[in-house]
Amino acid sequence: MSRKACVVGSGPNGLAAAIVLAQAGLRVEVLEAEPTPGGGVRTMELTLPGFLHDFGSAVHPLGAGSPFFSSLPLQTHGLEWIHSPAPLAHPLDDGTAVILERNLEDARISLGQDGNAWSGLVRPFVENWREFAPDVLRPISGIPKHPWLMARFGMRALLSAKTIAHRFHSERTRALFAGLAAHSFLGLDEPLSGAFGVIFAISVHAVGWPIPRGGAQSLTNALCRYLSTFDGKVTTSSRVESLTALSDNDVILCDVTPRQLLAIGGQRFSESYRRRLREFRYGCGVFKVDYALSGPIPWKAPECLRAATVHLGGNFEEIAASEKAMRNGRHADRPFVLLAQPTIFDPSRAPAGKHTAWAYCHVPNGSKVDMLEKLEGQIERFAPGFRECVVARRVFSPAALESLDANLVGGDIAGGVMDLHQFLFRPTWQHYATSAKDVFICSSSTPPGGGVHGMCGYHAAMRALARVHIR
Ligand SMILES: Cc1cc2nc3c(=O)[nH]c(=O)nc-3n(C[C@H](O)[C@H](O)[C@H](O)COP(=O)(O)OP(=O)(O)OC[C@H]3O[C@@H](n4cnc5c(N)ncnc54)[C@H](O)[C@@H]3O)c2cc1C
């Protein structure tokens, strides 16, 4: 009789785990609470008919650069990556924008006096991405396959973004780096915030920051289709209330965060494991708006139209102040805003001549404050007349996001704070294993953390296979 596995949740990590288990010959069922698979990787008509918006992830450097996803034939199952001519634009108040080119040599030249410092920071890892990515996207506890490369990275990784930004002479380059580091959801003077900036910079040059044609759902659909070529299936609209109902499986992998794991499986765990799950800390939330637009965004710096991702927040100090406010439980007056403008490069997502935009800013976890004026203020600052282009908008408070994906606790899109402690103990020192020997956790609350890369699911499933003696 073939062995059976159940995966709770069909986010990218749940689907990655399901594929690893199915590839090993297990019969796998994925149970998904929502009517559509994908979790944070879904595309929906959130505003008007014909306008397709990414509910969660929009831009996928780690999706395209993921060692596991890259090993799968996802292109033959409908996934096509689209690269905007430049990965990233960062407009400034003087009406110009810093553009980060994908090609490292082009970037070195365009960053002028800081070009060599930029290149020196990232080049060893850009040139060795295939070796670097598997080592950086795994738990830190094991011995890396490329210790020398990781040691070089480690020397940069513990620094704060503020310290790393001191390498740059120009305010423009410092602003650019601040935007990359702010993806950490940490204060820019905190350890590890620099590592995020460096990893995102590396990914720009090593992989690019692509969007999937048709929206993020295309990635989820390709994963589901590939899973179905094995003995694997996804059952939607099936919220798991208790793991007890799944006890006929050899292994259960949970693409959920610690709070939900406690709720659905608490009675299966030891008291000390339950306590450690309760101690897990969630990070800040996001306040998100999806826009249907009558035309492209009227950027003061028209070169912003070359990039699918635009960072809005001004200079380093201003972005640092925005992130510090959020870390201290306050709301920034001028929040750092991450914006994606996919339809310029993928017209299939909107009616002819029309466009969409996706934008969010960071807010304290569970915030109930309406940030719409402030978020749009930041877009207007760099694109006067933006509001006149808005045909419809859909606002997501942290609670609204959580209502469509239970993993987004308090609007936290990273599965928990990624400070030094929770970088090492995510969610506990056991990482994927729990105190119940057949139950594993595989969401972004495990290493390597948030983002669409599937590597949490991959490593959890490998651990589970070893436990059931299949590997
Ligand atoms: C607004 C937003 C913007 C983002 N932008 C980006 C981006 O541009 N690039 C990027 O790489 N990442 C981005 N992310 C982060 C990315 O989406 C997540 O890191 C990723 O989806 C985490 O994957 P996961 O599988 O761990 O969890 P999720 O994708 O959250 O999936 C968890 C799934 O489990 C299901 N579930 C939960 N509880 C149960 C239950 N009891 N029973 C059954 N099913 C259950 C949920 O419904 C959900 O489908 C963004 C996220 C959001 C929300």
Side-chain angles (χ1 to χ4, degrees):
M1 256 193 15
S2 72
R3 304 224 196 176
K4 267 177 67 179
C6 180
V7 177
V8 180
S10 69
N13 286 313
L15 293 175
I19 289 170
V20 172
L21 299 170
Q23 284 174 327
L26 275 79
R27 182 143 54 93
V28 186
E29 181 170 21
V30 182
L31 297 175
E32 167 54 51
E34 298 296 321
T36 320
V41 188
R42 280 178 291 170
T43 305
M44 311 175 199
E45 283 181 336
L46 293 172
T47 55
L48 298 170
F51 288 85
L52 295 172
H53 303 272
D54 287 332
F55 162 71
S57 66
V59 183
H60 298 87
L62 299 179
S66 158
F68 181 59
F69 288 165
S70 308
S71 74
L72 308 177
L74 299 180
Q75 272 74 4
T76 60
H77 293 280
L79 175 65
E80 184 191 340
W81 293 117
I82 298 175
H83 288 269
S84 49
L88 173 65
H90 189 122
L92 295 166
D93 285 319
D94 63 1
T96 67
V98 193
I99 303 293
L100 187 55
E101 304 291 345
R102 182 172 167 197
N103 178 284
L104 182 54
E105 190 51 21
D106 293 344
R108 192 184 68 77
I109 293 164
S110 76
L111 292 175
Q113 59 176 339
D114 286 326
N116 285 339
W118 186 273
S119 176
L121 186 65
V122 299
R123 187 178 290 278
F125 315 103
V126 171
E127 288 175 347
N128 296 291
W129 176 260
R130 288 168 71 92
E131 292 75 33
F132 175 66
D135 270 348
V136 85
L137 296 174
R138 67 192 283 260
I140 193 84
S141 48
I143 297 167
K145 284 214 174 84
H146 303 89
W148 176 234
L149 194 63
M150 286 310 286
R152 286 179 84 177
F153 178 70
M155 278 153 48
R156 295 156 169 84
L158 288 176
L159 302 177
S160 70
K162 191 174 169 188
T163 306
I164 292 181
H166 278 137
R167 296 167 181 232
F168 306 124
H169 297 289
S170 156
E171 186 172 355
R172 300 170 69 82
T173 319
R174 284 200 295 272
L176 179 71
F177 189 71
L180 291 166
H183 284 254
S184 65
F185 291 90
L186 296 172
L188 300 195
D189 51 2
E190 288 184 61
L192 277 189
S193 58
F196 278 87
V198 176
I199 288 178
F200 278 103
I202 294 167
S203 70
V204 162
H205 306 299
V207 183
W209 280 20
I211 57 172
R213 186 175 299 283
Q217 189 76 49
S218 309
L219 171 58
T220 294
N221 291 350
L223 290 167
C224 291
R225 284 188 201 123
Y226 182 61
L227 175 65
S228 71
T229 65
F230 298 90
D231 197 355
K233 65 172 183 181
V234 180
T235 307
T236 53
S237 303
S238 300
R239 186 175 300 278
V240 172
E241 307 286 356
S242 164
L243 294 186
T244 315
L246 309 177
S247 54
D248 60 335
N249 288 279
D250 294 282
V251 281
I252 304 169
L253 277 87
C254 300
D255 183 10
V256 304
T257 75
R259 188 176 299 177
Q260 299 138 278
L261 189 60
L262 269 169
I264 63 176
Q267 71 283 15
R268 299 276 327 266
F269 304 134
S270 68
E271 178 45 38
S272 70
Y273 186 70
R274 285 206 297 265
R275 181 174 41 76
R276 278 179 277 136
L277 288 183
R278 277 195 296 270
E279 285 167 3
F280 187 78
R281 286 166 296 120
Y282 289 89
C284 80
V286 307
F287 179 95
K288 181 191 181 229
V289 189
D290 286 291
Y291 294 98
L293 302 173
S294 58
I297 298 177
W299 298 110
K300 254 196 256 177
E303 57 270 36
C304 290
L305 292 171
R306 290 183 60 221
T309 306
V310 187
H311 286 165
L312 306 172
N315 64 21
F316 186 99
E317 287 68 28
E318 210 182 322
I319 296 173
S322 156
E323 299 311 284
K324 196 175 197 86
M326 164 278 290
R327 282 290 272 160
N328 290 335
R330 293 182 285 107
H331 296 79
D333 282 335
R334 289 181 134 191
F336 172 61
V337 174
L338 295 95
L339 182 144
Q341 41 183 5
T343 43
I344 299 173
F345 315 100
D346 180 8
S348 74
R349 302 190 196 188
K354 304 282 189 274
H355 286 275
T356 64
W358 160 116
Y360 70 80
C361 65
H362 301 158
V363 291
N365 191 283
S367 161
K368 294 189 173 62
V369 172
D370 182 354
M371 293 293 283
L372 183 63
E373 277 298 310
K374 288 176 176 166
L375 182 146
E376 281 185 7
Q378 290 287 64
I379 306 178
E380 281 280 338
R381 173 178 166 193
F382 300 104
F386 169 76
R387 284 197 180 99
E388 280 97 89
C389 302
V390 176
V391 183
R393 57 170 73 70
R394 172 91 176 257
V395 174
F396 285 96
S397 65
L401 287 170
E402 191 177 342
S403 72
L404 292 185
D405 177 351
N407 282 28
L408 305 174
V409 177
D412 178 352
I413 70 171
V417 179
M418 187 60 131
D419 58 9
L420 213 44
H421 181 82
Q422 289 198 169
F423 170 68
L424 296 171
F425 305 99
R426 192 166 185 86
T428 67
W429 61 268
Q430 292 163 283
H431 300 318
Y432 314 101
T434 70
S435 62
K437 81 172 186 351
D438 56 333
V439 180
F440 295 80
I441 175 168
C442 68
S443 71
S444 60
S445 302
T446 64
V452 178
H453 41 64
M455 296 306 290
C456 311
Y458 168 82
H459 288 297
M462 294 303 271
R463 214 53 78 79
L465 288 177
R467 184 72 74 85
V468 293
H469 308 301
I470 292 182
R471 200 160 65 86

